[in-house]
Amino acid sequence: KKVAPIPLDEVFNQVSAITATNANAVPPPVVLTPRSAEVCLKLGVNPEILKIRDIDSFWEGGIDPTVQRMRHEAYVQRRYELIKQCRMERKKIMNQQLESETFLADEEDALSPEKILEKQKEQSSTLIALELKRIEKMQKRQEKELEQMIQ
């Protein structure tokens, strides 16, 4: 059965099945639209953390309700910050694609094989740089998670 890809705004309105007791469980994969997937990769965002979680999903045995509420509030705030970043990045990508299409349409006749090779080299080096940034962000996020687990 093929699942239709969905944009990040739809993911943002979905309810997560993750709770404090099954936080390490592997959630079902989220199939994103190509642009949404590109944004998530570029920013190092797991689409699952954009989903809605109610305050009860932060309940753990022996935890103070105040701590539970604080965790929920922090999650909600982080969720809104991430979707805002994702939307901004999506706009940037769309604008870049529009500019490059416009540029290519204007310069289509003037492109020589050498110029095409140069552009391909620039694009591949940009992709490598983006991947390195994504890996770096992921490592920083993992370090923070480890620090939080230790505390």
Side-chain angles (χ1 to χ4, degrees):
K1 187 176 177 182
K2 203 168 189 179
V3 179
I6 57 174
L8 281 177
D9 286 325
E10 256 183 68
V11 173
F12 187 73
N13 294 323
Q14 291 180 344
V15 178
S16 177
I18 292 181
T19 63
T21 55
N22 74 349
N24 293 330
V26 178
V30 178
V31 180
L32 297 171
T33 59
R35 199 172 282 138
S36 295
E38 183 180 353
V39 167
C40 285
L41 278 174
K42 194 170 184 179
L43 297 178
V45 172
N46 180 353
E48 186 64 33
I49 62 173
L50 293 174
K51 291 184 177 181
I52 299 167
R53 281 181 63 186
D54 64 352
I55 193 165
D56 294 332
S57 70
F58 291 89
W59 180 86
E60 287 182 66
I63 192 172
D64 186 57
T66 309
V67 174
Q68 178 184 353
R69 189 177 71 252
M70 286 175 28
R71 287 181 181 175
H72 178 258
E73 289 171 0
Y75 177 82
V76 169
Q77 183 178 4
R78 175 97 169 110
R79 201 174 143 252
Y80 278 96
E81 289 171 3
L82 285 173
I83 195 67
K84 185 178 178 183
Q85 290 175 358
C86 289
R87 286 175 178 152
M88 287 174 51
E89 190 61 37
R90 185 173 184 278
K91 277 187 180 179
K92 280 185 194 175
I93 290 171
M94 289 173 63
N95 288 339
Q96 287 173 348
Q97 288 174 346
L98 182 64
E99 287 174 10
S100 67
E101 288 171 6
T102 306
F103 175 75
L104 287 176
D106 293 342
E107 298 289 323
E108 194 171 37
D109 298 329
L111 288 178
S112 67
E114 292 83 16
K115 288 182 180 179
I116 292 172
L117 285 174
E118 286 178 33
K119 286 185 179 188
Q120 287 177 342
K121 284 180 185 177
E122 289 172 10
Q123 289 174 345
S124 64
S125 65
T126 303
L127 289 175
I128 292 171
L130 290 174
E131 185 67 14
L132 290 173
K133 285 181 185 178
R134 186 185 68 79
I135 291 171
E136 186 179 315
K137 283 184 180 183
M138 193 167 39
Q139 287 174 338
K140 287 180 183 177
R141 189 176 70 239
Q142 288 174 346
E143 288 174 9
K144 287 181 183 178
E145 288 174 358
L146 283 173
E147 288 176 14
Q148 289 176 351
M149 291 172 80
I150 291 172
Q151 291 176 353

